[in-house]
């Protein structure tokens, strides 16, 4: 299609994982609004939030067990409330996987939020198909895994689906698209497919848009966040690091920048690092939409905080979806205690040995964390007197896992007992007990995982 008839698509990202900063969307939306006002007629903009990781869905399912109306991104309200009105007023559509384990509940929450803000609820689409907990699909998984599924307590089973249902929902007029487990880059590929009218087999275009989505998906990482390393890779204004915005043209080529007036930086180096992040094979990056190929990719700085990505190719998509099955995996117990002053390390090692003898039946992991946990000020600087004396402090951390909660709980009690049972001078005990999740992965044929979307017709009042 002629790029003149289809101005570059703007896609801003305001979250790179569940728990990311909730104030990131404001500057991104401000920048998108400004560029829409200055841009050509027909230009469109999207705001995406990427809020899932491998364990996030399982944790969301656990929350849904406790509350049938929970199970979606806990920070959904904090993320959307500051920007929803402006996005809808300026035609900026929103696509996210913040539906997690309960996309319908997330959609209902967004409709309620709109009413609280005094605006008409947007047209909200819910993407379906990733959840494989239905009996017929569980039977497929049992055949795939065999004995490995015997006796496990299932928490979640989800396929990494792609961009097609997102694009279809946008084509149907959705202003907000709520997804569960879609592949991270698909959050950008879906809007591009819809805006430019791409077919699902235009592999080069899909491959380029996939890598644009890959650059966006980790939020501020491409803008210098995860890149920063003082004295080696310095990043200005890291406390106010910006979040990325991609300009994608009708052939899928992209330019990466960031929100105006924010810290951080977008350079050839930041783009290269993110481009290779989590890519197992540069010539064959597998996604449900396409096999992207960056073996001959090039990046070029076009100006301050503007970097172009070129040379990406695409190959026919895989015939199978990746599936993750999460199940209960027992308990993780952790305990910490600090020792400071003369012979701190020797006392910490003695404490670890005491724990080994007392916790028969638990296999312990021991860490001696030798930074400033005691002999420093609130800014993390060593106190002058202790520095001159060559004193140090040690934070002892011990951890163990066990299938039975009662056995794992023993660790916390024994670490607490070190206060008076010795060695000398221990303090600052912290203990935690966390349920563990284990993962099984497999591939299922695409035809075994039907995908689609539905509109939220009657949002909750």
């Amino acid at each position: 299609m002629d790029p003149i008839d289809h101005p570059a698509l703007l896609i801003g990202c305001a979250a790179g994982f569940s728990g990311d900063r909730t104030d990131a969307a404001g500057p991104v939306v401000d920048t998108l609004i400004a560029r829409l006002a200055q841009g050509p007629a027909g230009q469109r903009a999207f705001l995406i939030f990427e809020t899932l990781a491998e364990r996030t869905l399982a944790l969301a399912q656990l929350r849904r067990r406790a509350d049938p109306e929970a199970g979606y991104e806990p920070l959904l309200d904090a993320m959307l409330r500051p920007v929803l009105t402006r996005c809808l007023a300026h035609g900026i559509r929103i696509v996210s996987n913040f539906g997690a384990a309960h996309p319908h509940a997330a959609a209902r929450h967004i409709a309620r939020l709109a009413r609280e803000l005094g605006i008409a609820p947007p047209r909200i689409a819910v993407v379906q198909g990733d959840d494989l907990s239905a009996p017929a699909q569980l039977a497929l998984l049992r055949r795939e895994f065999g004995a490995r599924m015997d006796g496990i307590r299932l928490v979640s089973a989800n396929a990494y689906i792609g961009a097609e249902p997102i694009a279809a929902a946008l084509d149907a007029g959705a202003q907000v698209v709520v997804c569960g487990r879609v592949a991270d880059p698909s959050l950008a590929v879906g809007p591009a497919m819809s805006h430019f009218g791409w077919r699902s087999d235009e592999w080069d275009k899909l491959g380029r848009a996939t890598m644009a989505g890959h650059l966006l998906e980790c939020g501020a990482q491409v803008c210098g966040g995860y890149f920063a390393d003082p004295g080696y890779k310095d990043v200005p204004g890291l406390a106010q690091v910006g979040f990325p915005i991609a300009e994608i043209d009708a052939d899928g080529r992209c330019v990466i920048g960031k929100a105006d007036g924010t810290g951080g930086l977008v350079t050839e180096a930041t783009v290269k690092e993110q481009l290779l992040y989590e890519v197992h094979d540069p010539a064959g990056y597998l996604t449900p939409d396409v096999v992207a190929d960056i073996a001959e990719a090039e990046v070029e700085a076009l100006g301050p905080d503007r970097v172009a990505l070129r040379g990406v190719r695409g190959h026919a998509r895989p015939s199978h979806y990746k599936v993750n099955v999460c199940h209960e995996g027992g308990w993780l117990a952790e305990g910490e205690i600090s020792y400071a002053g003369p012979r701190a390390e020797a006392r910490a090692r003695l404490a670890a040995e005491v724990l080994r003898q007392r916790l028969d039946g638990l296999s312990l992991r021991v860490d001696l964390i030798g930074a400033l946990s005691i002999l420093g000020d609130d800014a993390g600087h060593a106190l002058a007197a202790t520095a001159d004396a060559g004193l140090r402090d040690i934070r002892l951390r011990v951890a163990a896992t066990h299938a039975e909660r009662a056995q794992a709980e023993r660790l916390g009690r024994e670490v607490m007992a070190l206060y008076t049972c010795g060695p000398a001078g221990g303090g600052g005990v912290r203990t935690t007990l966390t349920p563990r999740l284990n993962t099984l992965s497999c591939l299922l044929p695409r035809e075994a995982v039907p995908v689609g979307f539905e509109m939220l017709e009657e949002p909750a009042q």
Side-chain angles (χ1 to χ4, degrees):
M1 294 185 178
D2 188 342
I4 296 175
D5 296 331
H6 297 274
L9 176 65
L10 303 176
I11 303 180
C13 179
F17 65 99
S18 178
D20 209 344
R21 291 177 180 165
T22 58
D23 60 353
V28 175
V29 171
D30 290 343
T31 304
L32 292 175
I33 291 171
R35 294 187 187 179
L36 286 172
Q38 299 162 4
Q43 188 160 55
R44 297 288 181 266
F46 285 81
L47 180 67
I48 65 174
F49 296 85
E50 202 291 286
T51 64
L52 290 184
E54 281 65 34
R55 285 167 39 92
T56 319
L57 260 172
L59 296 172
Q61 284 286 9
L62 293 176
R63 290 194 297 271
R64 187 175 180 181
R65 284 183 185 177
D67 177 0
E69 274 301 300
Y72 54 89
E73 168 57 46
L75 296 176
L76 171 61
D77 196 277
M79 289 175 170
L80 278 189
R81 186 177 290 273
V83 298
L84 182 60
T85 299
R86 284 185 293 150
C87 284
L88 296 177
H90 292 274
I92 298 171
R93 293 196 274 181
I94 298 167
V95 179
S96 178
N97 53 17
F98 47 39
H102 204 343
H104 282 91
R108 291 192 290 269
H109 186 117
I110 295 168
R112 288 193 299 271
L113 173 59
R115 288 194 172 87
E116 290 175 13
L117 294 170
I119 58 178
R123 286 182 57 77
I124 305 171
V126 177
V127 168
Q128 300 171 310
D130 67 295
D131 189 340
L132 303 182
S133 58
Q137 291 164 318
L138 283 178
L140 284 175
L141 292 174
R142 289 190 180 279
R143 286 200 293 271
E144 178 68 30
F145 288 117
R148 286 187 292 169
M149 285 193 73
D150 291 346
I152 70 171
R153 297 186 63 183
L154 187 74
V155 175
S156 64
N158 295 83
Y160 285 66
I161 65 176
E164 286 185 277
I166 297 174
L170 295 170
D171 290 344
Q175 295 167 283
V176 179
V177 180
V178 179
C179 308
R181 178 70 277 178
V182 298
D184 299 347
S186 300
L187 297 173
V189 177
M193 290 180 71
S194 175
H195 178 67
F196 295 116
W198 295 340
R199 301 186 313 274
S200 60
D201 62 353
E202 295 191 71
W203 306 125
D204 283 344
K205 294 176 181 178
L206 294 174
R208 294 166 192 147
T210 290
M211 298 319 296
H214 179 69
L215 291 173
L216 291 172
E217 70 186 53
C218 290
Q221 190 160 308
V222 75
C223 299
Y226 199 65
F227 175 86
D229 189 351
Y232 179 59
K233 296 183 296 182
D234 291 315
V235 175
L238 191 61
Q240 288 78 40
V241 65
F243 278 59
I245 295 173
E247 305 166 24
I248 303 176
D249 71 17
D251 286 321
R253 293 182 294 262
C254 75
V255 175
I256 299 293
K258 67 181 182 69
D260 296 340
T262 59
L265 75 175
V266 178
T267 66
E268 292 180 357
T270 69
V271 170
K272 287 177 181 178
E273 283 202 7
Q274 179 60 28
L275 193 65
L276 294 172
Y277 177 72
E278 293 182 336
V279 173
H280 61 288
D281 178 0
Y285 179 50
L286 303 176
T287 80
D289 301 310
V290 66
V291 177
D293 182 348
I294 60 170
E296 298 181 3
E298 298 178 353
V299 298
E300 179 187 0
L302 303 181
D305 297 320
R306 281 177 55 81
V307 176
L309 172 63
R310 304 188 182 96
V312 177
R313 299 294 307 275
H315 310 295
R317 67 190 184 189
S319 60
H320 289 60
Y321 287 122
K322 177 185 175 180
V323 174
N324 273 358
V325 174
C326 286
H327 60 94
E328 295 180 11
W331 297 88
L332 169 65
E334 297 173 276
E336 296 182 6
I337 186 170
S338 290
Y339 295 90
R343 298 168 301 283
E345 182 175 342
R347 284 181 282 130
R349 290 187 181 278
L350 176 56
E353 181 57 31
V354 168
L355 293 172
R356 288 189 191 280
Q357 294 183 32
R358 298 281 302 174
L359 293 170
D360 183 50
L362 290 181
S363 178
L364 296 188
R365 162 77 191 201
V366 174
D367 294 300
L368 299 177
I369 305 169
L372 287 172
S373 60
I374 297 177
L375 300 176
D377 60 20
D378 288 347
H381 301 129
L383 300 176
T386 60
D388 292 343
L391 301 181
R392 61 185 302 201
D393 60 41
I394 296 292
R395 184 73 171 168
L396 171 67
R397 174 188 177 271
V398 292
T401 62
H402 201 279
E404 298 177 17
R405 178 171 184 151
Q407 289 296 316
E409 286 175 335
R410 295 168 54 212
L411 183 143
R413 293 196 299 271
E414 288 294 339
V415 172
M416 188 68 70
L418 293 173
Y419 267 133
T420 56
C421 293
V429 169
R430 298 288 187 273
T431 63
T432 59
L433 185 68
T434 309
R436 294 188 73 210
L437 294 169
N438 291 339
T439 302
L440 298 172
S441 297
C442 71
L443 301 174
L444 283 185
R446 299 180 77 94
E447 57 269 20
V449 185
V451 301
F453 74 95
E454 67 176 22
M455 291 290 184
L456 186 70
E457 297 296 342
E458 297 181 1
Q461 297 293 327

